[in-house]
Amino acid sequence: MNPLNPFAASPQVVTVALNPALDQTIEIAGIKLGEVNRALRMQVDVGGKAVNVASCLSDFGVSTAVTGQIGRDNAALFEDLFQRKKIANHCCYLDGLTRINSKLVDTASGQTTDLNMPGPAFSPDAAQDLLKQVLHRLDQLVGQVKWVVLSGSLPPGMPADAYATITRQVQAAGGSVLLDTSGAPLRAALAVGPKIIKPNRHELAELVGQPLDTLESLIATGRELLAASPAPELIAISLGGDGALFLDRDQALHALPAQVEVSSTVGAGDAMVAGLVAAQLEGLNLTETARLATAFAAAKLTRLGPHLPRPAEVRALAQQISVLSQTPITDL
Ligand SMILES: Nc1ncnc2c1ncn2[C@@H]1O[C@H](COP(=O)(O)OP(=O)(O)OP(=O)(O)O)[C@@H](O)[C@H]1O
Ligand SMILES: [Mg+2]
């Protein structure tokens, strides 16, 4: 089925990478702008949210596929990760390079400067063509795959309703969508009713157009979304170092963050998304879902890239997560 990777022939989850990236980290001791600088070290990691989610799921032993697009000219790094992690590669190959995001880590000042590229600009025809191909691949996969993860930004030129279109098709075919994006693509896809969403607090505040500075206001906003039609079945609102809220129609829970040594917070949200899907596959209740998703995020914090320690370690961490019940919800 997939010549690059025969192992993941029966994926349980597929993630959709419409705008993946390579993350280039350059270490430099005291950057001088406008001058020739000598860098100390460079590292290139495969990234982009959908790929990060697939990578974490695979580390947890969930067989996963990725579809979407990668640039032919630097595809080898993606293929290498997919092979190592036994991730089935169902991506479309486009001419040119996958975008490269650069991080300048200044070891003298301790500051990190990010230079993020927007991604390839699609003409209307090219955007439609890619979307058609991705929908076709998903059509073939949904059936054996229960969960489809849509995460990350859309590349320039891709219509804002691309995730809405995918959600509609996947869920009509009996699959379930977890959506993790922001702005117009989030708003458009919400109207179609993805089963789970995972905004962070800033993305949720942007969606409703008002500041959400308290747990109460975040919970009230989540409850409004749960009361809409169509509505998600589960909303996870991640709060960075303050943990995360997990809401369904019956309960609102606050999972406190684990006390771990933080190596990098990059991609913690992506690990949480992976944990949410893993919890769904295991049929966990909301409390256990909150524990496992938070443990995925905490476990990732201890690593630099989108990687998790052994599943047993993640499960042990999950049992240490404190989950507080918020005011019972009775009036939905
Ligand atoms: N500094 C931290 N200390 C402890 N836990 C953290 C920290 N940062 C993140 N987390 C954990 O990771 C989860 C997800 O993080 P966050 O809210 O930053 O996601 P995000 O904004 O979607 O991130 P990204 O999209 O960059 O991956 C949090 O709910 C929390 O459990
Ligand atoms: Mg995020």
Side-chain angles (χ1 to χ4, degrees):
M1 176 178 170
N2 174 15
L4 281 176
N5 194 339
F7 306 106
S10 312
Q12 297 166 277
V13 179
V14 57
T15 75
V16 179
L18 292 178
N19 201 17
L22 288 170
D23 294 322
Q24 178 187 48
T25 306
I26 300 170
E27 259 180 28
I28 192 159
I31 190 157
K32 298 187 195 77
L33 294 177
E35 293 185 26
V36 175
N37 290 266
R38 258 178 223 292
L40 300 170
R41 202 177 67 84
M42 188 199 72
Q43 184 177 323
V44 178
D45 294 297
V46 175
K49 291 182 174 297
V51 173
N52 291 348
V53 173
S55 174
C56 290
L57 279 169
S58 157
D59 285 346
F60 197 65
V62 175
S63 62
T64 305
V66 178
T67 187
Q69 59 92 7
I70 44 181
R72 219 182 294 282
D73 294 354
N74 49 7
L77 289 162
F78 286 91
E79 290 166 355
D80 181 55
L81 179 91
F82 294 158
Q83 196 119 30
R84 265 191 293 126
K85 299 228 173 183
K86 300 184 170 59
I87 294 167
N89 179 3
H90 291 271
C91 292
C92 306
Y93 282 57
L94 303 184
D95 289 340
L97 290 165
T98 299
R99 70 188 168 128
I100 301 173
N101 294 331
S102 299
K103 258 181 213 316
L104 280 174
V105 180
D106 190 332
T107 54
S109 68
Q111 282 186 321
T112 297
T113 306
D114 284 88
L115 298 170
N116 286 350
M117 302 301 292
F122 284 86
S123 67
D125 282 353
Q128 282 313 319
D129 191 46
L130 174 62
L131 194 54
K132 214 171 111 191
Q133 289 196 52
V134 168
L135 287 169
H136 177 66
R137 283 163 201 233
L138 285 171
D139 194 41
Q140 292 180 316
L141 286 163
V142 172
Q144 44 170 324
V145 165
K146 172 82 174 88
W147 280 93
V148 174
V149 176
L150 307 178
S151 56
S153 60
L154 296 174
M158 185 59 68
D161 63 357
Y163 283 150
T165 305
I166 296 174
T167 302
R168 195 177 294 113
Q169 175 183 297
V170 165
Q171 296 197 164
S176 297
V177 165
L178 188 158
L179 175 73
D180 176 19
T181 189
S182 57
L186 169 60
R187 184 180 301 280
L190 253 187
V192 181
K195 289 274 160 49
I196 301 181
I197 58 169
K198 194 224 68 73
N200 64 29
R201 67 180 123 192
H202 310 293
E203 291 160 348
L204 193 62
E206 189 197 5
L207 178 74
V208 296
Q210 59 191 53
L212 300 173
D213 300 327
T214 61
L215 281 189
E216 289 70 26
S217 62
L218 288 158
I219 292 171
T221 303
R223 290 171 65 188
E224 272 169 35
L225 296 180
L226 287 166
S229 179
E233 290 173 3
L234 195 165
I235 301 178
I237 307 168
S238 64
L239 312 170
D242 293 326
L245 293 167
F246 294 83
L247 288 84
D248 63 14
R249 288 180 68 83
D250 303 318
Q251 294 178 85
L253 306 174
H254 182 195
L256 304 182
Q259 302 300 316
V260 291
E261 201 161 306
V262 178
S263 295
S264 162
T265 57
V266 177
D270 305 333
M272 177 162 272
V273 165
L276 283 165
V277 175
Q280 298 309 302
L281 291 173
E282 296 187 7
L284 301 185
N285 64 28
L286 193 66
T287 305
E288 294 305 318
T289 297
R291 288 208 171 99
L292 191 64
T294 302
F296 264 60
K300 198 249 71 85
L301 293 174
T302 62
R303 316 264 149 147
L304 278 182
H307 312 294
L308 297 184
R310 288 179 304 109
E313 247 178 86
V314 180
R315 288 188 193 279
L317 202 51
Q319 291 321 307
Q320 295 165 26
I321 305 294
S322 303
V323 177
L324 311 177
S325 182
Q326 302 299 305
T327 331
I329 297 174
T330 52
D331 58 342
L332 271 179

